[in-house]
Each structure stands twice: as structure tokens, then as C-alpha cells.
Amino acid sequence: QVQLVESGGGLVQAGGSLRLSCVASGRISIINVMGWYRQAPGKQRELVATITWGGSTNYADSVKGRFAISRDNAKHMVYLQMNSLKPEDTAIYYCNRKDGTGDYWGQGTQVTVSS
């Protein structure tokens, strides 16, 4: 199966930036959708952004204009550039990959935005 490992989380002040990375390994299918989801304490996990194997993107309304998802197919990586961070962005961020064989998740990386 596919394994996903995230990195890049941390503590940042409001208005700052972070760049999350996720690398996929194992059985790699060409046709896939990768994305980022987040979950804050006491809240449901929500979609942040997705990107198809062909590069089409989709964003949650709350992050449009601030976050940008990208991928490097040769390296089997997906990134999330987060700018103008707000305290409400604080959550555990999870990398996700969907393909014809299943739905895979990383372990998550904590993002904390302080005032």
C-alpha cells in the first residue's frame, strides 16, 4: 500500500507562513488525487485543498487566496504553502492520497498559529 509522511508543521505567529510537505512511497498509481485535510480539537476533519494527478486544484473557501497546493509527480510529493496564517488555522494537518486502490493518510503534522 501507499505510505505518506508529512513534515513542516510548527508554531508560527499570525500573519506568518509555513510550507508543509508530504512524500508518498510504496505502490504508486499514476492516476491519483492528493490533498491536505485538517482537524482542530473538538471539530471534524475538514478538507483544505486537493490536487489531481493532472494538476487541477480545489480549495476550501476559508483558505482561498492564502494557501496554495502543488505537487511534484517525479518526487511523489505534494506541498501546501500557507501564507497569512490565522489562529483559526491551528489544527493537525493530514496528507491524503486517493487512487483506484484505496484512500491513504499520513500521521499528521501540528500547525499552531498564535496571536
Side-chain angles (χ1 to χ4, degrees):
Q1 66 174 7
V2 175
Q3 301 241 332
L4 305 173
V5 179
E6 304 100 329
S7 62
L11 175 65
V12 65
Q13 293 183 216
S17 298
L18 284 173
R19 187 178 188 240
L20 306 183
S21 299
C22 173
V23 61
S25 62
R27 293 190 177 190
I28 304 298
S29 297
I30 295 175
I31 301 175
N32 64 80
V33 177
M34 297 195 71
W36 292 93
Y37 294 71
R38 66 186 182 186
Q39 187 169 23
K43 297 184 180 295
Q44 294 185 358
R45 188 173 300 185
E46 64 178 4
L47 183 148
V48 177
T50 60
I51 183 166
T52 70
W53 63 277
S56 297
T57 59
N58 182 51
Y59 296 93
D61 288 341
S62 60
V63 306
K64 286 182 178 178
R66 299 189 298 120
F67 292 8
I69 189 170
S70 61
R71 66 187 295 165
D72 185 333
N73 289 336
K75 296 182 178 180
H76 306 300
M77 296 192 72
V78 63
Y79 308 92
L80 185 68
Q81 179 66 47
M82 304 185 294
N83 299 322
S84 302
L85 283 161
K86 305 174 181 179
E88 50 263 45
D89 294 319
T90 296
I92 300 174
Y93 284 70
Y94 297 91
C95 182
N96 173 260
R97 184 182 181 98
K98 294 179 172 65
D99 60 32
T101 67
D103 190 358
Y104 307 95
W105 296 89
Q107 80 286 352
T109 186
Q110 178 71 49
V111 172
T112 303
V113 184
S114 66
S115 300

